[in-house]
Every structure is written in structure tokens, then in C-alpha cells.
Amino acid sequence: MPEKPAARGTRIAHVGLAVRALDEILPFYRDVLGMPETPLDDADGARIAGLVAGESLVELLEPADESSPIGKFLAKRGPGIHHICFAVDDLDGTLARCRAAGIRLIDERPRIGAEGKRIAFLHPSATAGVLVELSEY
Ligand SMILES: CC[C@@H](C(=O)O)C(=O)SCCNC(=O)CCNC(=O)[C@H](O)C(C)(C)COP(=O)(O)OP(=O)(O)OC[C@H]1O[C@@H](n2cnc3c(N)ncnc32)[C@H](O)[C@@H]1OP(=O)(O)O
Ligand SMILES: [Co+2]
């Protein structure tokens, strides 16, 4: 039986920022703040750029179209902080605890996110107005 990895504890995996155009703001984070860029897959109707912030990332999200989650967010609220992603040791177990606690899930089943890991979103109505994304480590 393979050893279960030691629990590492929940950590901030990334903060997602909704932006109108990556090219407008990427130079600030990369060149002015000196944050190294890391490749992320486009996903969920968004062009995504990653910047390294210690153990976490800043995830810049530019909408590919207006009907995408980021497009709708920008139309209603303009650019700004969009979500926070926590990496958890046991994604399925955490989702089961969310269900048991009556936390409304956006993703009943995890899907693959921009970092190529399984992720799932919780509804902001259940988390005091913050869009929370959960990711496996
Ligand atoms: C998969 C890639 C992944 C990664 O790998 O990291 C990403 O991060 S991709 C990021 C984009 N994808 C998502 O955000 C997916 C999850 N989001 C959704 O399913 C929807 O955006 C939503 C959160 C369910 C909102 O849906 P929408 O159709 O826009 O509905 P409303 O505008 O009516 O909003 C309902 C309700 O929720 C509030 N809201 C909406 N967005 C946010 C937000 N980012 N943060 C906090 N609150 C948000 C909105 O204000 C409404 O509240 P009330 O007005 O009180 O009803
Ligand atoms: Co994200």
C-alpha cells in the first residue's frame, strides 16, 4: 500500500484577478514587481497568465468572450480580485465536508484547472461573498 503523503495543510494556491487585457497589466507584475511568469493553461473561457508569489501564484484572467465567467464578472464589476484558490490535502474529502456543512458547490465534481490539477469552486453565497476555488496539491 503506497504511503499517504504527509498532510501539508491548506495553503493559498493562487489569487485570481479579472483583467480586461493581460498585456495591459502583466508588465506591472512581471517587470515592475519582478514576479517570474509561469505558464498556465487557458481555461473556462479565459486567457490566463501566472506570476509567482512565493509558494502561491497570482492568476491573471482575461475573458476570451463576454459570456465567460470572467467576461460576466467584468461587465458587472469591472477589473479586480475575482477568486481565491486554496490547495487542500484531500480535495474529495474537503468537498464531502462542504456538502455535509451545507456549503453550496458550483462544481459537484472536480474538473481540471489551469495548473493541470483537479479543482472545484464553491458558491460565493455560501462563503461570505468570496468566490473560493479548491485545488488538490
Ligand atoms: C478552471 C480554471 C480555474 C483555475 O484553474 O484556476 C479558474 O480560476 S477559471 C476562473 C473563472 N471561472 C469561474 O469563476 C468558475 C466559477 N464561477 C461561476 O460559476 C460563476 O462565475 C458564479 C460565481 C456562479 C457567478 O455566476 P454568474 O452567472 O456571474 O452569476 P451572477 O453574476 O448572478 O452572480 C451570482 C451571485 O454571485 C456573486 N458573484 C459572482 N461572481 C463573484 C465573484 N467572483 N466573487 C464574489 N461574488 C461573486 C454575484 O454578486 C451574485 O451575488 P448576489 O448579487 O448577492 O446574488
Ligand atoms: Co483559479
Side-chain angles (χ1 to χ4, degrees), residues 60-125:
L60 299 178
L61 301 144
E62 174 191 311
D65 60 66
E66 279 168 20
S67 64
S68 64
I70 298 300
K72 290 173 77 174
F73 178 90
L74 283 175
K76 286 182 186 159
R77 298 173 169 216
I81 295 176
H82 180 260
H83 66 277
I84 187 163
C85 180
F86 297 105
V88 294
D89 284 298
D90 172 6
L91 179 59
D92 298 305
T94 304
L95 289 176
R97 283 200 305 279
C98 286
R99 276 191 206 95
I103 303 284
R104 186 176 161 194
L105 305 183
I106 292 173
D107 297 296
E108 279 300 330
R109 292 208 194 320
R111 52 192 160 118
I112 301 300
E115 294 181 69
K117 296 175 182 173
R118 294 193 312 146
I119 59 112
F121 280 91
L122 309 180
H123 199 282
S125 60

